[in-house]
Amino acid sequence: MKPIQWIRVRSELGAGTRGASLGIDALKIAAINAGDLDFFSRFEGIEVADENHLLHMQADLNYAKRIAGIHTMYERISQTILRSLHTGHFPVVMSGDHSSAGATIAGTKMAYPDKRIGVVWIDAHADLHSPYTSPSGNVHGMPLTLSLNEDNLDCRHNEIHPSTREYWNKLKAIGGISPKIYYNDLVYIALRDTEAEEDYLIKKHNVRVFPVEEVTDNGVTKVVADTLDHLSNCDFIYISFDVDSMDAGLARGTGTPVANGLSNNQARHLLNGLLASQKVCCLELAEINPLLDLENQIARLTFPILKSAVETIVGEEREVRE
Ligand SMILES: [Mn+2]
């Protein structure tokens, strides 16, 4: 059993709506209200310093807002993940906005440069835009694209500033390894709100997608088995859980809620099933925004999922899958 290390990333530079930096505290309050007073102190934690002071300044670069600050975060987060893995920990990353996931993937690849890293992306969104295609310029829609070293120039419609290009290229090259992951080693679960530019890449590279209907119809166990089977050539697996993978009716406290999502039970079983594989070396949880919520609903819903995931990680059930 590897000891868990909490990695706290309170950055929300990549989101279009303010408040995701408060997600960690919303979870802590949910733990206290659930009677789990010492839950987060059972394992050591690392606080990654944020650059949220930049939010008090006007965002400059339109098609990748606050990308310079995000680059600073990427350096810090990737180094923290690298150290966490190298010191024998299982990092559980609690993030603000989902842009940080590109840095977590980078840190994982930097820790294991000769290994193949699989990614399970549980999210309503594909997060597969680049500054050349993004309609919003919010970098939380780009972490997978930069991990794949993808620009998607085929679908280009934005003229980007030379300085945006410079930082975008820096993000793709972080850690000196690029790409970090391959399309074959990426699996989407609960994907249901994509744009044409993203659909183009998913189709072109034949990326494996498990829609919510497949989770419901075939059951979580089957989807877990198929996901691990699809990633059987990967040495390590990183799981990214965006709370908007869950249904908007349950999960309104997030920047971009989407209807027809996973139930909280499906999400819990999904994470537990995947985490039972010892290939999984890192888990990230992102986009809880209590400012958009009523009575901390999303954090109260997510806390038992996180608790159950942690029990699986530290438990005896983890097995090596062939
Ligand atoms: Mn996301």
Side-chain angles (χ1 to χ4, degrees):
M1 174 204 122
K2 286 186 175 178
I4 283 176
Q5 192 170 47
W6 300 114
I7 311 291
R8 291 185 288 268
V9 182
R10 292 171 201 272
S11 179
E12 59 166 84
L13 296 180
T17 312
R18 301 279 61 85
S21 60
L22 305 170
I24 294 171
D25 296 301
L27 271 175
K28 286 187 176 177
I29 300 295
I32 293 166
N33 286 345
D36 265 304
L37 306 186
D38 70 336
F39 180 78
F40 286 105
S41 54
R42 275 177 229 158
F43 305 101
E44 64 170 285
I46 294 178
E47 192 90 27
V48 180
D50 67 57
E51 290 287 301
N52 290 338
H53 61 91
L54 295 171
L55 294 166
H56 296 279
M57 285 172 246
Q58 208 56 250
D60 42 2
L61 303 165
N62 276 342
Y63 296 113
K65 291 172 186 159
R66 310 188 189 283
I67 194 169
I70 288 168
H71 176 254
T72 306
M73 292 308 301
Y74 264 55
E75 294 280 10
R76 288 178 192 156
I77 298 165
S78 60
Q79 288 295 335
T80 305
I81 298 296
L82 164 66
R83 272 197 303 277
S84 182
L85 290 167
H86 272 184
T87 51
H89 293 95
F90 187 114
V92 177
V93 190
M94 294 193 284
S95 291
D97 80 73
H98 213 177
S99 66
S100 57
T104 309
I105 291 171
T108 306
K109 183 65 179 176
M110 287 151 67
Y112 308 117
D114 301 325
K115 303 291 183 185
R116 236 166 112 172
I117 313 295
V119 171
V120 183
W121 201 261
I122 308 170
D123 194 329
H125 308 97
D127 294 351
L128 209 47
H129 272 292
S130 76
Y132 302 99
T133 68
S134 172
S136 69
N138 296 325
V139 180
H140 71 166
M142 311 182 190
L144 283 173
T145 334
L146 62 91
S147 303
L148 290 154
N149 196 35
E150 176 70 72
D151 291 332
N152 196 9
L153 295 178
D154 291 354
C155 299
R156 170 186 198 152
H157 49 73
N158 297 334
E159 279 306 324
I160 74 172
H161 191 276
S163 162
T164 304
R165 186 184 311 117
E166 184 193 326
Y167 276 110
W168 174 249
N169 288 338
K170 278 187 182 176
L171 287 187
K172 288 188 296 181
I174 213 125
I177 309 168
S178 165
K180 313 287 189 296
I181 56 167
Y182 301 99
Y183 282 101
N184 281 341
D185 300 338
L186 169 62
V187 171
Y188 284 111
I189 301 178
L191 184 68
R192 61 196 186 281
D193 185 17
T194 57
E195 271 110 30
E197 302 89 341
E198 298 175 305
D199 294 335
Y200 172 82
L201 291 175
I202 290 169
K203 193 155 184 273
K204 179 179 174 189
H205 297 282
N206 201 19
V207 179
R208 189 70 166 101
V209 177
F210 293 94
V212 175
E213 303 77 59
E214 194 167 336
V215 179
T216 301
D217 293 350
N218 295 354
V220 169
T221 308
K222 173 87 170 101
V223 170
V224 166
D226 289 351
T227 298
L228 294 175
D229 184 49
H230 187 82
L231 300 177
S232 59
N233 291 325
C234 295
D235 304 292
F236 293 103
I237 296 173
Y238 157 75
I239 303 174
S240 221
F241 181 70
D242 187 323
V243 294
D244 68 28
S245 58
M246 294 189 288
D247 192 78
L250 302 166
R252 66 184 255 178
T254 187
T256 46
V258 184
N260 303 315
L262 297 172
S263 72
N264 50 322
N265 273 332
Q266 284 176 322
R268 184 164 53 88
H269 290 307
L270 200 53
L271 288 181
N272 286 340
L274 292 166
L275 286 164
S277 163
Q278 288 205 359
K279 280 189 179 180
V280 180
C281 66
C282 180
L283 169 68
E284 182 157 6
L285 198 151
E287 297 283 358
I288 290 177
N289 185 338
L291 292 190
L292 304 172
D293 212 342
L294 190 67
E295 298 179 341
N296 208 22
Q297 190 186 8
I298 185 74
R300 283 193 291 132
L301 195 75
T302 306
F303 175 66
I305 298 172
L306 176 63
K307 185 181 174 187
S308 189
V310 162
E311 283 165 2
T312 306
I313 295 166
V314 301
E316 302 299 316
E317 311 91 278
R318 298 236 302 161
E319 55 184 76
V320 183
R321 279 178 189 259
E322 293 309 318

